Amino acid sequence: MSTNPQNTNASAPAEAARPSHFIRDIFVEDQKTKKYGDAVFQTRFPPEPNGYLHLGHAKAICLDFGMADDFGGLTNLRFDDTNPEKEEQEYVDSIMEDVRWLGFEWDRLCYASDYFDQLFEWAIQLIKAGKAYVDDHSAEEIRQHRGTLTEPGENSPYRNRTVEENLDLFLRMAKGEFPDGTRVLRAKIDMASPNLNMRDPVMYRILHASHHRTGDKWCIYPMYDYAHGQSDSLEKVTHSMCTLEFADHQPLYRWYIEQLGIFPSQQIEFDRLSLTYTLLSKRKLLQLVQEKRVSGWDDPRMPTLSGIRRRGFTAAAIRNFCAAIGASRTNGSTDIEMLEHFQREELNRTSPRAMAVLRPLKVVIENYPEGQEELVEVANNPEDPSAGLRQVPFSREIYIEQDDFREVPPPKYYRLSPGKEVRLRNAYFITAKEVVKDAAGNVVEVRCTYDPASRGGNSPDGRKVKSTIHWVSAKHAISAEVRLYDKLFINPNPSDVPEGGSFLDNLNPNSLEVIADAKLEPSLATAKPGDRIQFERMGYFCVDIESKPEALVFNRTLPLKDTWAKIERKAGS
RNA sequence: UGGGCGGUAGACUAAUGGUAGGUCAAGUGCCUUUGGAGCACUUCGUCCAGGUUCGAAUCCUGGCCGCCCAGCCA
């Protein structure tokens, strides 16, 4: 079946229960009425290999493969490669990788280009039946004859050519006798149809372009509408799911199938995924890549599957998210927080913890013996005792987060400040005594004392402390580059721009902050690309693909929820 | 303005003529060696107007609002 066992986490709880939605209802009904007899349900995921897959495709993939899985059916991966000018092998490779990463395996690998011969034969059949004709009009002339949304189109003067003449011309088109754009093959339907797709749609255009799979065999290529339904039909696809903008194409999808008398696949349209603060348009994502607004298709800020994978997102979280949003026919916009929720839910459960100080502030513990060091025992994951324990070195000089000390604490600030006591996680209670400042008046060091009796983090006298902060022993710390990623856009709807503006105006100038020299606990020295770790109190991170043992690089996947930041924000506003 | 498709809390989504429910977000409290996590509680909704019905989010009529369509792209 389609779920790839390599990508399912055996220890993970069952994925979210399948909520009902209208597509599931159709499957249930078709199963009940045995609409397709004893044949198993067949679906397909039909990307055009002209870009990288993104979260919108993840929704489609989960629906195509997920529905088939749930009903004992099969799913094909089919590349919709009818336009040689935009399609490349690089994209087909990335698409296969992404589908598998998401956790799915196709039954058959197909290409629309596999059907070029059959499609050509069917075109001849339609010509012979008087249902298709060669039009000598230019693209411009065809457009002029198409009419408008409110006015019918006009018949082309070439519409009534004889079958013989159409056949001759079409064959010569295929032989390469005519230059690009000089003729097309059109279906003869109805130029007065209120549905513009039915106004004698183009079936074939002349394109002297090399195709990534068929090479130079063809110089005419079928249009999407002429290829898609028949491809579905050839693969015996029972449920052909696509997005809402194709609803107007359904009459044409059915027209070709009916005229040809072939297996009747049914098209079902659902709403495209729209996410706040996120752009899910291949064209615009391509622009970001080409204009180098991001480092590439796999920039961790990109909503591409390769981007969020590099960012540290997990396939299971994306699947759970897709299950939660379901499918409908309403166009709305899902809060990005929903996606982040499912990601945090999984990472909280599965990520080992470590201590890392992103913006170091030196702390000297004055009453801790000079030269002394010790190992403290720390849980790898408090959510998962089976993750075990590790030893973390402690010594007289440590780093804490700059944010965890305030010389003048604001109200409700529980962390370190002069005279206040806090707990160093898994280590000791310390009390701030005095600060050391540089010439500019910045605090560069905090002098503290510790309570030797509080080892492990509890005082025998039962004394409570308001806050626990993380730390790293200065002597043992390792350095790493940490990349803090934030939303790529500042506007919930990146496409929402004033007249004459561009979505680029909504780019978040602070979407990436690089910390060159973060201080990490030494256990992180062996972290490998792809490893996911929670830096305690800071967020979920993963080791970047560029990371090397001597030059570690961590990406922030998501910050932890930050209640203090919320309090501060409210106090500030 | 022709055609197609839709409107359920701030967001997404159930309820298929019979108690408007779930998730996210927001808020309050509890708990806590991550201001994390967890737990409990709370706020907030059927686009409008008529009609059918014992009963309407659901069916009917009429409005209003939103999205899609005039590529030899998919």
Side-chain angles (χ1 to χ4, degrees):
Chain A
M1 192 46 46
S2 302
T3 300
N4 183 343
Q6 288 182 329
N7 282 305
T8 52
N9 183 345
S11 65
E15 289 185 20
R18 315 282 178 198
S20 90
H21 51 65
F22 82 100
I23 297 179
R24 190 172 298 277
D25 292 346
I26 291 171
F27 274 71
V28 169
E29 181 67 14
D30 290 351
Q31 189 172 56
K32 201 165 61 188
T33 63
K34 284 191 166 258
K35 181 169 181 175
Y36 298 97
D38 293 324
V40 299
F41 287 163
Q42 176 73 239
T43 65
R44 106 268 89 119
F45 171 59
E48 181 188 13
N50 68 342
Y52 279 62
L53 260 25
H54 55 61
L55 284 162
H57 296 107
K59 171 175 176 174
I61 292 168
C62 288
L63 243 20
D64 291 331
F65 285 88
M67 282 297 107
D69 277 356
D70 292 350
F71 287 82
L74 264 17
T75 305
N76 295 341
L77 171 61
R78 181 174 73 232
F79 289 99
D80 224 329
D81 56 352
T82 55
N83 184 356
E85 294 182 323
K86 290 186 176 175
E87 296 149 7
E88 295 173 22
Q89 187 62 37
E90 174 196 353
Y91 296 130
V92 341
D93 293 340
S94 74
I95 288 168
M96 291 195 283
E97 182 185 359
D98 287 348
V99 170
R100 287 194 165 119
W101 174 75
L102 240 202
F104 299 102
E105 185 61 56
W106 46 90
D107 179 49
R108 281 178 285 163
L109 177 63
C110 309
Y111 294 83
S113 54
D114 290 341
Y115 313 131
F116 281 176
D117 286 304
Q118 176 65 259
L119 258 8
F120 183 73
E121 277 176 41
W122 277 336
I124 289 170
Q125 185 181 325
L126 289 175
I127 290 170
K128 287 179 175 167
K131 300 289 187 182
Y133 64 98
V134 172
D135 193 331
D136 297 359
H137 271 334
S138 65
E140 173 66 10
E141 288 166 320
I142 287 179
R143 191 176 61 76
Q144 282 166 357
H145 281 74
R146 186 154 29 228
T148 67
L149 293 178
T150 53
E151 297 160 315
E154 297 167 46
N155 284 170
S156 163
Y158 302 99
R159 199 174 200 260
N160 291 316
R161 292 220 247 229
T162 63
V163 167
E164 291 68 32
E165 193 180 359
N166 282 321
L167 219 40
D168 173 62
L169 255 12
F170 182 56
L171 260 17
R172 288 165 61 197
M173 277 169 64
K175 269 190 240 160
E177 290 188 24
F178 312 117
D180 288 4
T182 53
R183 271 171 245 260
V184 291
L185 182 70
R186 291 230 254 172
K188 193 188 282 189
I189 308 181
D190 178 10
M191 288 305 291
S193 172
N195 180 345
L196 306 225
N197 294 118
M198 300 299 272
R199 318 242 263 227
D200 290 10
V202 171
M203 294 164 59
Y204 273 94
R205 72 283 211 185
I206 302 172
L207 239 37
H208 290 267
S210 197
H211 187 276
H212 74 112
R213 295 192 74 241
T214 60
D216 296 320
K217 177 175 179 187
W218 299 92
C219 62
I220 59 171
Y221 289 93
M223 297 288 290
Y224 165 85
D225 283 308
Y226 182 67
H228 201 92
Q230 291 95 304
S231 300
D232 284 344
S233 182
L234 285 166
E235 292 170 23
K236 296 284 189 290
V237 168
T238 53
H239 303 260
S240 177
M241 292 166 266
C242 64
T243 45
L244 243 24
E245 67 270 25
F246 291 99
D248 286 341
H249 295 244
Q250 207 187 309
L252 181 54
Y253 177 102
R254 287 203 300 253
W255 189 87
Y256 285 126
I257 285 176
E258 281 163 19
Q259 296 303 317
L260 264 9
I262 55 179
F263 180 82
S265 301
Q266 62 172 325
Q267 175 175 305
I268 301 164
E269 309 91 9
F270 62 89
D271 58 336
R272 208 178 243 286
L273 173 64
S274 171
L275 267 185
T276 56
Y277 299 98
T278 310
L279 215 48
L280 296 176
S281 142
K282 269 200 219 175
R283 207 203 92 237
K284 289 175 181 168
L285 295 178
L286 176 63
Q287 189 181 342
L288 291 173
V289 172
Q290 288 178 335
E291 293 182 9
K292 304 216 183 305
R293 308 286 179 152
V294 295
S295 65
W297 286 103
D298 70 343
D299 185 299
R301 292 165 295 183
M302 290 283 272
T304 50
L305 297 185
S306 54
I308 58 178
R309 177 198 310 142
R310 185 171 174 187
R311 172 86 168 252
F313 276 68
T314 65
I318 293 166
R319 278 185 254 121
N320 286 339
F321 167 73
C322 288
I325 59 173
S328 72
R329 295 176 66 90
T330 64
N331 22 40
S333 184
T334 301
D335 286 343
I336 188 78
E337 287 81 6
M338 180 86 86
L339 207 216
E340 295 177 347
H341 161 78
F342 285 100
Q343 190 49 75
R344 288 197 179 94
E345 178 186 69
E346 191 192 1
L347 258 15
N348 174 56
R349 219 176 52 237
T350 58
S351 296
R353 320 279 131 131
M355 291 194 286
V357 175
L358 270 25
R359 297 177 178 84
L361 203 213
K362 184 181 269 190
V363 168
V364 178
I365 301 162
E366 295 181 325
N367 58 337
Y368 192 91
E370 213 132 355
Q372 179 173 313
E373 54 188 73
E374 64 187 297
L375 259 17
V376 297
E377 200 159 68
V378 177
N380 285 325
N381 184 352
E383 298 288 320
D384 177 14
S386 73
L389 304 169
R390 70 183 186 286
Q391 310 284 321
V392 179
F394 182 84
S395 64
R396 187 170 191 265
E397 295 192 359
I398 61 173
Y399 293 115
I400 65 167
E401 212 67 57
Q402 287 171 19
D403 251 10
D404 288 339
F405 177 81
R406 293 289 174 83
E407 191 176 14
V408 182
K412 292 188 181 169
Y413 184 85
Y414 304 149
R415 283 112 93 154
L416 239 209
S417 58
K420 291 283 166 43
E421 185 172 50
V422 300
R423 171 169 37 233
L424 293 175
R425 174 134 238 235
N426 295 109
Y428 293 100
F429 286 3
I430 58 168
T431 304
K433 293 299 180 189
E434 54 184 305
V435 300
V436 178
K437 296 183 179 180
D438 64 12
N442 302 311
V443 175
V444 293
E445 186 179 308
V446 181
R447 313 288 293 190
C448 294
T449 57
Y450 85 121
D451 174 3
S454 63
R455 188 171 200 281
N458 281 303
S459 170
D461 64 9
R463 192 162 86 246
K464 297 289 183 202
V465 104
K466 263 289 206 190
S467 165
T468 301
I469 65 175
H470 59 99
W471 53 274
V472 171
S473 166
K475 178 183 170 188
H476 305 90
I478 58 172
S479 290
E481 176 177 327
V482 175
R483 299 173 182 170
L484 302 179
Y485 292 103
D486 200 350
K487 297 179 172 71
L488 226 204
F489 294 95
I490 50 175
N491 191 315
N493 177 4
S495 299
D496 178 28
V497 285
E499 271 291 309
S502 154
F503 72 95
L504 298 169
D505 302 341
N506 283 327
L507 242 14
N508 175 7
N510 306 119
S511 58
L512 169 59
E513 182 187 351
V514 178
I515 291 177
D517 192 14
K519 301 298 185 187
L520 321 185
E521 64 167 78
S523 70
L524 259 8
T526 54
K528 300 280 179 299
D531 285 357
R532 299 186 178 90
I533 298 110
Q534 184 198 112
F535 289 171
E536 293 217 36
R537 302 205 308 135
M538 303 309 288
Y540 299 101
F541 292 75
C542 75
V543 182
D544 189 72
I545 50 177
E546 293 176 350
S547 186
K548 295 183 188 65
E550 66 280 8
L552 294 168
V553 179
F554 289 83
N555 296 326
R556 182 174 67 192
T557 306
L558 287 173
L560 253 26
K561 285 198 199 159
D562 190 344
T563 310
W564 167 244
K566 204 178 277 185
I567 293 169
E568 256 190 327
R569 226 181 299 128
K570 274 200 290 191
S573 60

